């Protein structure tokens, strides 16, 4: 079950990296001085990436907890 813990930790780190990428995208979209409609569309895309990154991170944490319980 140790492999589950390591896979879960890797997924969690991947999710956290994705969250950092979302922060960078949002900061870039905010500082681009786009018109309101384009800025809103850009930030909506960031929200979708953010939810995906949170999902990957949560899945990784679930695998870590499952691996610990099964050990």
């Amino acid at each position: 079950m140790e492999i589950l813990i390591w896979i879960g930790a890797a997924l969690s780190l991947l999710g956290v990296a994705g969250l950092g990428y979302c922060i960078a995208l949002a900061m870039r979209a905010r500082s681009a001085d786009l018109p309101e409609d384009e800025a809103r569309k850009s930030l909506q895309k960031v929200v979708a990436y953010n939810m995906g990154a949170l999902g990957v991170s949560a899945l990784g944490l679930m695998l870590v907890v499952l691996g610990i319980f099964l050990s």
Side-chain angles (χ1 to χ4, degrees):
M1 292 303 126
E2 187 175 329
I3 191 74
L4 261 172
I5 296 170
W6 285 108
I7 291 172
L11 278 175
S12 292
L13 287 176
L14 185 68
V16 170
L19 289 173
Y21 179 68
C22 289
I23 291 170
L25 282 178
M27 296 299 283
R28 196 175 328 149
R30 287 256 169 161
S31 66
D33 292 332
L34 296 172
E36 186 176 343
D37 292 337
E38 290 180 27
R40 182 174 288 130
K41 184 188 284 187
S42 177
L43 289 176
Q44 284 175 347
K45 199 182 302 184
V46 171
V47 169
Y49 290 145
N50 190 16
M51 295 303 280
L54 282 173
V56 168
S57 184
L59 181 66
L61 289 174
M62 284 185 231
L63 284 177
V64 168
V65 170
L66 183 67
I68 289 172
F69 279 149
L70 294 177
S71 291

